Short mmCIF file of all heavy atoms in Angstrom, two decimals:
data_model
loop_
_atom_site.label_atom_id
_atom_site.label_comp_id
_atom_site.label_asym_id
_atom_site.label_seq_id
_atom_site.Cartn_x
_atom_site.Cartn_y
_atom_site.Cartn_z
N PRO A 758 -67.87 5.94 -98.79
CA PRO A 758 -66.97 5.74 -99.93
C PRO A 758 -66.71 4.26 -100.18
O PRO A 758 -66.62 3.46 -99.26
CB PRO A 758 -65.69 6.46 -99.53
CG PRO A 758 -65.72 6.54 -98.06
CD PRO A 758 -67.15 6.52 -97.65
N LYS A 759 -66.60 3.94 -101.46
CA LYS A 759 -66.37 2.56 -101.88
C LYS A 759 -65.18 2.52 -102.82
O LYS A 759 -65.04 3.36 -103.70
CB LYS A 759 -67.60 2.00 -102.58
CG LYS A 759 -68.81 1.86 -101.68
CD LYS A 759 -69.98 1.29 -102.43
CE LYS A 759 -71.19 1.21 -101.51
NZ LYS A 759 -72.38 0.77 -102.22
N ALA A 760 -64.35 1.51 -102.64
CA ALA A 760 -63.25 1.28 -103.56
C ALA A 760 -63.80 0.49 -104.74
O ALA A 760 -64.65 -0.37 -104.58
CB ALA A 760 -62.13 0.50 -102.88
N ASP A 761 -63.32 0.82 -105.92
CA ASP A 761 -63.82 0.14 -107.11
C ASP A 761 -62.69 0.01 -108.12
O ASP A 761 -61.61 0.58 -107.96
CB ASP A 761 -64.99 0.93 -107.72
CG ASP A 761 -66.14 0.02 -108.13
OD1 ASP A 761 -65.87 -1.15 -108.45
OD2 ASP A 761 -67.27 0.49 -108.13
N SER A 762 -62.95 -0.74 -109.17
CA SER A 762 -61.97 -0.93 -110.24
C SER A 762 -62.53 -0.35 -111.53
O SER A 762 -63.71 0.00 -111.61
CB SER A 762 -61.66 -2.42 -110.41
OG SER A 762 -62.85 -3.11 -110.78
N TYR A 763 -61.70 -0.28 -112.55
CA TYR A 763 -62.13 0.22 -113.84
C TYR A 763 -62.82 -0.91 -114.60
O TYR A 763 -62.58 -2.07 -114.35
CB TYR A 763 -60.93 0.73 -114.65
CG TYR A 763 -60.29 1.95 -114.04
CD1 TYR A 763 -59.23 1.84 -113.16
CD2 TYR A 763 -60.76 3.21 -114.35
CE1 TYR A 763 -58.65 2.95 -112.60
CE2 TYR A 763 -60.19 4.33 -113.80
CZ TYR A 763 -59.14 4.20 -112.93
OH TYR A 763 -58.57 5.30 -112.37
N GLY A 764 -63.69 -0.55 -115.52
CA GLY A 764 -64.30 -1.55 -116.39
C GLY A 764 -65.76 -1.78 -116.11
O GLY A 764 -66.38 -1.14 -115.25
N LYS A 765 -66.31 -2.74 -116.86
CA LYS A 765 -67.75 -2.95 -116.82
C LYS A 765 -68.24 -3.53 -115.51
O LYS A 765 -69.39 -3.31 -115.13
CB LYS A 765 -68.19 -3.84 -117.99
CG LYS A 765 -67.68 -5.26 -117.93
CD LYS A 765 -68.20 -6.07 -119.09
CE LYS A 765 -67.71 -7.51 -118.96
NZ LYS A 765 -68.26 -8.34 -120.00
N ASP A 766 -67.41 -4.28 -114.80
CA ASP A 766 -67.84 -4.85 -113.53
C ASP A 766 -67.46 -3.96 -112.35
O ASP A 766 -67.77 -4.29 -111.21
CB ASP A 766 -67.22 -6.25 -113.33
CG ASP A 766 -67.74 -7.24 -114.36
OD1 ASP A 766 -68.91 -7.11 -114.75
OD2 ASP A 766 -66.98 -8.14 -114.77
N GLY A 767 -66.83 -2.85 -112.61
CA GLY A 767 -66.38 -1.95 -111.56
C GLY A 767 -67.19 -0.68 -111.54
O GLY A 767 -68.39 -0.67 -111.29
N ILE A 768 -66.50 0.41 -111.82
CA ILE A 768 -67.10 1.74 -111.71
C ILE A 768 -68.23 1.94 -112.72
O ILE A 768 -69.20 2.63 -112.43
CB ILE A 768 -66.01 2.85 -111.85
CG1 ILE A 768 -66.58 4.22 -111.49
CG2 ILE A 768 -65.42 2.85 -113.23
CD1 ILE A 768 -66.91 4.37 -110.04
N ARG A 769 -68.15 1.33 -113.88
CA ARG A 769 -69.20 1.51 -114.88
C ARG A 769 -70.54 0.99 -114.35
O ARG A 769 -71.58 1.61 -114.55
CB ARG A 769 -68.86 0.79 -116.18
CG ARG A 769 -69.86 1.04 -117.28
CD ARG A 769 -69.54 0.32 -118.56
NE ARG A 769 -68.16 0.52 -118.94
CZ ARG A 769 -67.52 -0.29 -119.80
NH1 ARG A 769 -68.13 -1.30 -120.34
NH2 ARG A 769 -66.26 -0.06 -120.11
N LYS A 770 -70.50 -0.14 -113.67
CA LYS A 770 -71.72 -0.71 -113.10
C LYS A 770 -72.32 0.25 -112.07
O LYS A 770 -73.54 0.46 -112.04
CB LYS A 770 -71.39 -2.06 -112.46
CG LYS A 770 -72.58 -2.84 -112.00
CD LYS A 770 -72.14 -4.21 -111.50
CE LYS A 770 -73.31 -5.03 -111.05
NZ LYS A 770 -72.89 -6.34 -110.55
N ALA A 771 -71.47 0.85 -111.24
CA ALA A 771 -71.95 1.81 -110.23
C ALA A 771 -72.52 3.06 -110.89
O ALA A 771 -73.57 3.56 -110.48
CB ALA A 771 -70.82 2.18 -109.28
N ILE A 772 -71.86 3.56 -111.92
CA ILE A 772 -72.33 4.77 -112.61
C ILE A 772 -73.66 4.51 -113.29
O ILE A 772 -74.60 5.30 -113.17
CB ILE A 772 -71.28 5.27 -113.62
CG1 ILE A 772 -70.04 5.78 -112.89
CG2 ILE A 772 -71.86 6.37 -114.50
CD1 ILE A 772 -68.87 6.09 -113.81
N LEU A 773 -73.77 3.38 -114.00
CA LEU A 773 -75.03 3.06 -114.68
C LEU A 773 -76.17 2.89 -113.67
O LEU A 773 -77.30 3.29 -113.94
CB LEU A 773 -74.86 1.80 -115.53
CG LEU A 773 -74.00 1.96 -116.78
CD1 LEU A 773 -73.74 0.61 -117.43
CD2 LEU A 773 -74.63 2.92 -117.76
N ASP A 774 -75.88 2.30 -112.53
CA ASP A 774 -76.88 2.15 -111.47
C ASP A 774 -77.36 3.51 -110.98
O ASP A 774 -78.56 3.75 -110.82
CB ASP A 774 -76.29 1.32 -110.32
CG ASP A 774 -77.28 1.11 -109.20
OD1 ASP A 774 -78.41 0.67 -109.49
OD2 ASP A 774 -76.92 1.38 -108.04
N LYS A 775 -76.42 4.43 -110.76
CA LYS A 775 -76.79 5.76 -110.28
C LYS A 775 -77.49 6.59 -111.34
O LYS A 775 -78.36 7.40 -111.02
CB LYS A 775 -75.54 6.52 -109.77
CG LYS A 775 -74.84 5.84 -108.62
CD LYS A 775 -75.73 5.64 -107.43
CE LYS A 775 -75.00 4.92 -106.32
NZ LYS A 775 -75.85 4.54 -105.21
N VAL A 776 -77.15 6.40 -112.61
CA VAL A 776 -77.83 7.11 -113.69
C VAL A 776 -79.32 6.76 -113.69
O VAL A 776 -80.17 7.62 -113.93
CB VAL A 776 -77.18 6.78 -115.06
CG1 VAL A 776 -78.07 7.18 -116.22
CG2 VAL A 776 -75.83 7.44 -115.19
N VAL A 777 -79.64 5.51 -113.39
CA VAL A 777 -81.04 5.08 -113.34
C VAL A 777 -81.71 5.55 -112.06
O VAL A 777 -82.87 6.00 -112.08
CB VAL A 777 -81.12 3.54 -113.46
CG1 VAL A 777 -82.53 3.04 -113.22
CG2 VAL A 777 -80.63 3.10 -114.83
N LYS A 778 -81.01 5.50 -110.94
CA LYS A 778 -81.62 5.79 -109.64
C LYS A 778 -81.80 7.28 -109.34
O LYS A 778 -82.73 7.65 -108.63
CB LYS A 778 -80.81 5.14 -108.52
CG LYS A 778 -80.98 3.65 -108.46
CD LYS A 778 -80.26 3.06 -107.27
CE LYS A 778 -80.47 1.56 -107.22
NZ LYS A 778 -79.76 0.95 -106.09
N VAL A 779 -80.94 8.13 -109.84
CA VAL A 779 -81.00 9.56 -109.49
C VAL A 779 -82.34 10.19 -109.88
O VAL A 779 -82.95 10.87 -109.05
CB VAL A 779 -79.80 10.33 -110.09
CG1 VAL A 779 -80.04 11.82 -110.10
CG2 VAL A 779 -78.54 10.01 -109.31
N PRO A 780 -82.86 10.00 -111.10
CA PRO A 780 -84.16 10.59 -111.40
C PRO A 780 -85.29 10.04 -110.52
O PRO A 780 -86.23 10.75 -110.19
CB PRO A 780 -84.40 10.23 -112.88
CG PRO A 780 -83.06 9.99 -113.43
CD PRO A 780 -82.25 9.42 -112.31
N GLN A 781 -85.17 8.78 -110.12
CA GLN A 781 -86.18 8.19 -109.24
C GLN A 781 -86.11 8.80 -107.85
O GLN A 781 -87.13 9.09 -107.23
CB GLN A 781 -85.99 6.67 -109.16
CG GLN A 781 -86.21 5.95 -110.46
CD GLN A 781 -85.79 4.50 -110.41
OE1 GLN A 781 -85.21 4.03 -109.42
NE2 GLN A 781 -86.08 3.76 -111.48
N ILE A 782 -84.90 9.01 -107.35
CA ILE A 782 -84.72 9.56 -106.00
C ILE A 782 -85.17 11.02 -105.94
O ILE A 782 -85.85 11.44 -105.01
CB ILE A 782 -83.25 9.43 -105.57
CG1 ILE A 782 -82.90 7.96 -105.35
CG2 ILE A 782 -82.97 10.22 -104.31
CD1 ILE A 782 -81.41 7.70 -105.13
N THR A 783 -84.79 11.80 -106.95
CA THR A 783 -85.14 13.23 -106.93
C THR A 783 -86.59 13.47 -107.35
O THR A 783 -87.13 14.54 -107.07
CB THR A 783 -84.22 14.03 -107.87
OG1 THR A 783 -84.36 13.54 -109.20
CG2 THR A 783 -82.78 13.94 -107.42
N GLY A 784 -87.20 12.52 -108.02
CA GLY A 784 -88.58 12.67 -108.45
C GLY A 784 -88.73 13.50 -109.71
O GLY A 784 -89.83 13.82 -110.12
N ASN A 785 -87.61 13.85 -110.34
CA ASN A 785 -87.66 14.66 -111.55
C ASN A 785 -86.89 13.91 -112.64
O ASN A 785 -85.68 13.70 -112.53
CB ASN A 785 -87.03 16.03 -111.31
CG ASN A 785 -87.22 16.97 -112.48
OD1 ASN A 785 -87.55 16.57 -113.59
ND2 ASN A 785 -87.00 18.25 -112.22
N PRO A 786 -87.56 13.51 -113.72
CA PRO A 786 -86.85 12.76 -114.77
C PRO A 786 -85.80 13.58 -115.51
O PRO A 786 -84.93 13.02 -116.17
CB PRO A 786 -87.97 12.32 -115.72
CG PRO A 786 -89.12 13.20 -115.43
CD PRO A 786 -88.97 13.67 -114.02
N LYS A 787 -85.83 14.91 -115.37
CA LYS A 787 -84.83 15.75 -116.02
C LYS A 787 -83.53 15.82 -115.22
O LYS A 787 -82.51 16.25 -115.74
CB LYS A 787 -85.38 17.16 -116.24
CG LYS A 787 -86.49 17.21 -117.24
CD LYS A 787 -86.96 18.63 -117.46
CE LYS A 787 -88.10 18.67 -118.46
NZ LYS A 787 -88.59 20.03 -118.67
N HIS A 788 -83.58 15.45 -113.95
CA HIS A 788 -82.38 15.49 -113.12
C HIS A 788 -81.52 14.27 -113.43
O HIS A 788 -81.94 13.14 -113.25
CB HIS A 788 -82.73 15.50 -111.63
CG HIS A 788 -83.24 16.81 -111.17
ND1 HIS A 788 -83.73 17.00 -109.91
CD2 HIS A 788 -83.34 18.01 -111.78
CE1 HIS A 788 -84.11 18.25 -109.77
NE2 HIS A 788 -83.88 18.89 -110.90
N GLY A 789 -80.33 14.54 -113.90
CA GLY A 789 -79.40 13.46 -114.20
C GLY A 789 -78.26 13.44 -113.20
O GLY A 789 -78.12 14.31 -112.35
N LEU A 790 -77.45 12.42 -113.32
CA LEU A 790 -76.30 12.25 -112.44
C LEU A 790 -75.24 13.30 -112.79
O LEU A 790 -74.99 13.59 -113.96
CB LEU A 790 -75.72 10.84 -112.61
CG LEU A 790 -74.48 10.49 -111.82
CD1 LEU A 790 -74.80 10.47 -110.32
CD2 LEU A 790 -73.92 9.15 -112.25
N ILE A 791 -74.61 13.85 -111.76
CA ILE A 791 -73.49 14.77 -111.93
C ILE A 791 -72.27 14.08 -111.32
O ILE A 791 -72.28 13.72 -110.15
CB ILE A 791 -73.75 16.11 -111.23
CG1 ILE A 791 -74.98 16.79 -111.81
CG2 ILE A 791 -72.53 17.01 -111.34
CD1 ILE A 791 -75.44 18.01 -111.05
N VAL A 792 -71.24 13.90 -112.12
CA VAL A 792 -70.03 13.21 -111.66
C VAL A 792 -68.90 14.22 -111.54
O VAL A 792 -68.65 15.01 -112.46
CB VAL A 792 -69.64 12.06 -112.61
CG1 VAL A 792 -68.37 11.38 -112.15
CG2 VAL A 792 -70.77 11.06 -112.73
N ILE A 793 -68.20 14.17 -110.41
CA ILE A 793 -67.03 15.02 -110.18
C ILE A 793 -65.83 14.09 -110.13
O ILE A 793 -65.74 13.24 -109.25
CB ILE A 793 -67.18 15.82 -108.87
CG1 ILE A 793 -68.44 16.68 -108.92
CG2 ILE A 793 -65.94 16.66 -108.63
CD1 ILE A 793 -68.80 17.29 -107.60
N ILE A 794 -64.92 14.25 -111.07
CA ILE A 794 -63.72 13.41 -111.15
C ILE A 794 -62.57 14.20 -110.54
O ILE A 794 -62.27 15.31 -110.98
CB ILE A 794 -63.41 13.05 -112.62
CG1 ILE A 794 -64.60 12.35 -113.26
CG2 ILE A 794 -62.17 12.17 -112.69
CD1 ILE A 794 -64.49 12.19 -114.75
N LYS A 795 -61.93 13.60 -109.54
CA LYS A 795 -60.83 14.28 -108.85
C LYS A 795 -59.57 13.41 -108.91
O LYS A 795 -59.38 12.51 -108.09
CB LYS A 795 -61.22 14.55 -107.39
CG LYS A 795 -62.36 15.54 -107.27
CD LYS A 795 -62.57 15.99 -105.86
CE LYS A 795 -63.62 17.09 -105.80
NZ LYS A 795 -63.73 17.69 -104.48
N PRO A 796 -58.71 13.66 -109.89
CA PRO A 796 -57.46 12.90 -109.96
C PRO A 796 -56.44 13.44 -108.94
O PRO A 796 -56.34 14.65 -108.73
CB PRO A 796 -56.98 13.13 -111.39
CG PRO A 796 -57.63 14.39 -111.82
CD PRO A 796 -58.90 14.53 -111.03
N THR A 797 -55.73 12.55 -108.29
CA THR A 797 -54.67 12.96 -107.37
C THR A 797 -53.36 13.09 -108.15
O THR A 797 -53.28 12.70 -109.32
CB THR A 797 -54.51 11.94 -106.24
OG1 THR A 797 -54.13 10.68 -106.81
CG2 THR A 797 -55.77 11.79 -105.42
N LYS A 798 -52.34 13.58 -107.50
CA LYS A 798 -51.04 13.72 -108.16
C LYS A 798 -50.43 12.36 -108.47
O LYS A 798 -49.62 12.23 -109.37
CB LYS A 798 -50.09 14.53 -107.28
CG LYS A 798 -50.47 15.97 -107.17
CD LYS A 798 -49.52 16.74 -106.29
CE LYS A 798 -49.96 18.19 -106.18
NZ LYS A 798 -49.11 18.97 -105.30
N GLU A 799 -50.83 11.34 -107.72
CA GLU A 799 -50.28 10.00 -107.91
C GLU A 799 -51.00 9.23 -109.02
O GLU A 799 -50.53 8.19 -109.45
CB GLU A 799 -50.35 9.20 -106.60
CG GLU A 799 -49.39 9.68 -105.54
CD GLU A 799 -49.93 10.87 -104.76
OE1 GLU A 799 -51.13 11.20 -104.91
OE2 GLU A 799 -49.16 11.49 -104.02
N SER A 800 -52.18 9.70 -109.46
CA SER A 800 -52.91 8.99 -110.51
C SER A 800 -52.24 9.27 -111.85
O SER A 800 -51.50 10.23 -112.01
CB SER A 800 -54.38 9.41 -110.54
OG SER A 800 -54.50 10.76 -110.91
N THR A 801 -52.54 8.41 -112.81
CA THR A 801 -51.93 8.55 -114.13
C THR A 801 -52.90 9.18 -115.12
O THR A 801 -54.11 9.23 -114.88
CB THR A 801 -51.49 7.17 -114.68
OG1 THR A 801 -52.66 6.35 -114.83
CG2 THR A 801 -50.50 6.50 -113.75
N TYR A 802 -52.36 9.63 -116.21
CA TYR A 802 -53.16 10.21 -117.28
C TYR A 802 -54.13 9.17 -117.83
O TYR A 802 -55.27 9.47 -118.16
CB TYR A 802 -52.23 10.74 -118.38
CG TYR A 802 -52.94 11.35 -119.55
CD1 TYR A 802 -53.56 12.58 -119.44
CD2 TYR A 802 -52.97 10.70 -120.78
CE1 TYR A 802 -54.21 13.15 -120.52
CE2 TYR A 802 -53.62 11.25 -121.86
CZ TYR A 802 -54.23 12.48 -121.73
OH TYR A 802 -54.88 13.03 -122.79
N ARG A 803 -53.67 7.93 -117.90
CA ARG A 803 -54.52 6.83 -118.40
C ARG A 803 -55.75 6.66 -117.52
O ARG A 803 -56.84 6.39 -118.03
CB ARG A 803 -53.73 5.55 -118.49
CG ARG A 803 -54.58 4.37 -118.91
CD ARG A 803 -53.74 3.24 -119.45
NE ARG A 803 -54.55 2.13 -119.86
CZ ARG A 803 -55.10 2.01 -121.05
NH1 ARG A 803 -54.92 2.95 -121.94
NH2 ARG A 803 -55.83 0.96 -121.35
N ASN A 804 -55.59 6.81 -116.20
CA ASN A 804 -56.73 6.70 -115.30
C ASN A 804 -57.79 7.75 -115.63
O ASN A 804 -58.98 7.46 -115.65
CB ASN A 804 -56.31 6.85 -113.84
CG ASN A 804 -55.38 5.75 -113.37
OD1 ASN A 804 -54.49 5.99 -112.57
ND2 ASN A 804 -55.58 4.54 -113.85
N LEU A 805 -57.35 8.96 -115.89
CA LEU A 805 -58.28 10.04 -116.23
C LEU A 805 -58.97 9.77 -117.55
O LEU A 805 -60.19 9.93 -117.68
CB LEU A 805 -57.55 11.38 -116.26
CG LEU A 805 -58.41 12.60 -116.57
CD1 LEU A 805 -59.50 12.78 -115.52
CD2 LEU A 805 -57.55 13.83 -116.67
N VAL A 806 -58.22 9.31 -118.54
CA VAL A 806 -58.81 8.99 -119.84
C VAL A 806 -59.81 7.84 -119.71
O VAL A 806 -60.89 7.87 -120.31
CB VAL A 806 -57.70 8.67 -120.87
CG1 VAL A 806 -58.29 8.11 -122.16
CG2 VAL A 806 -56.87 9.89 -121.17
N ASP A 807 -59.48 6.85 -118.89
CA ASP A 807 -60.41 5.75 -118.67
C ASP A 807 -61.71 6.24 -118.03
O ASP A 807 -62.80 5.78 -118.38
CB ASP A 807 -59.77 4.66 -117.79
CG ASP A 807 -58.72 3.86 -118.53
OD1 ASP A 807 -58.69 3.92 -119.78
OD2 ASP A 807 -57.92 3.18 -117.86
N MET A 808 -61.61 7.18 -117.10
CA MET A 808 -62.82 7.72 -116.48
C MET A 808 -63.64 8.53 -117.48
O MET A 808 -64.87 8.46 -117.48
CB MET A 808 -62.47 8.60 -115.27
CG MET A 808 -62.14 7.82 -114.03
SD MET A 808 -63.32 6.53 -113.60
CE MET A 808 -64.84 7.41 -113.53
N LEU A 809 -62.98 9.29 -118.35
CA LEU A 809 -63.71 10.03 -119.38
C LEU A 809 -64.39 9.06 -120.35
O LEU A 809 -65.51 9.33 -120.82
CB LEU A 809 -62.77 10.97 -120.13
CG LEU A 809 -62.20 12.12 -119.29
CD1 LEU A 809 -61.20 12.92 -120.11
CD2 LEU A 809 -63.30 13.02 -118.78
N ASP A 810 -63.74 7.95 -120.64
CA ASP A 810 -64.37 6.92 -121.47
C ASP A 810 -65.61 6.35 -120.78
O ASP A 810 -66.63 6.10 -121.43
CB ASP A 810 -63.39 5.80 -121.80
CG ASP A 810 -62.33 6.21 -122.80
OD1 ASP A 810 -62.53 7.22 -123.50
OD2 ASP A 810 -61.29 5.52 -122.88
N GLU A 811 -65.52 6.13 -119.48
CA GLU A 811 -66.67 5.62 -118.72
C GLU A 811 -67.82 6.61 -118.76
O GLU A 811 -68.99 6.22 -118.84
CB GLU A 811 -66.29 5.32 -117.27
CG GLU A 811 -65.26 4.20 -117.10
CD GLU A 811 -65.75 2.84 -117.55
OE1 GLU A 811 -66.98 2.63 -117.64
OE2 GLU A 811 -64.92 1.97 -117.82
N MET A 812 -67.52 7.90 -118.73
CA MET A 812 -68.58 8.92 -118.80
C MET A 812 -69.28 8.84 -120.17
O MET A 812 -70.50 8.96 -120.25
CB MET A 812 -68.02 10.33 -118.61
CG MET A 812 -67.39 10.61 -117.26
SD MET A 812 -68.52 10.43 -115.89
CE MET A 812 -67.87 8.97 -115.13
N ALA A 813 -68.50 8.64 -121.21
CA ALA A 813 -69.09 8.55 -122.55
C ALA A 813 -69.91 7.27 -122.70
O ALA A 813 -70.99 7.29 -123.29
CB ALA A 813 -67.98 8.59 -123.61
#
Side-chain angles (χ1 to χ4, degrees):
K759 294 181 182 175
D761 224 332
S762 61
Y763 294 93
K765 66 178 183 176
D766 295 327
I768 190 68
R769 185 181 311 161
K770 188 175 181 181
I772 293 171
L773 289 172
D774 181 51
K775 299 302 178 187
V776 165
V777 172
K778 287 185 179 179
V779 164
Q781 295 170 353
I782 291 171
T783 60
N785 188 344
K787 292 182 180 179
H788 285 174
L790 178 67
I791 300 171
V792 179
I793 302 169
I794 303 169
K795 294 190 174 188
T797 62
K798 290 180 181 177
E799 290 82 11
S800 66
T801 63
Y802 179 72
R803 177 160 180 87
N804 296 144
L805 181 61
V806 170
D807 287 344
M808 281 311 305
L809 293 175
D810 287 342
E811 296 295 339
M812 297 299 110

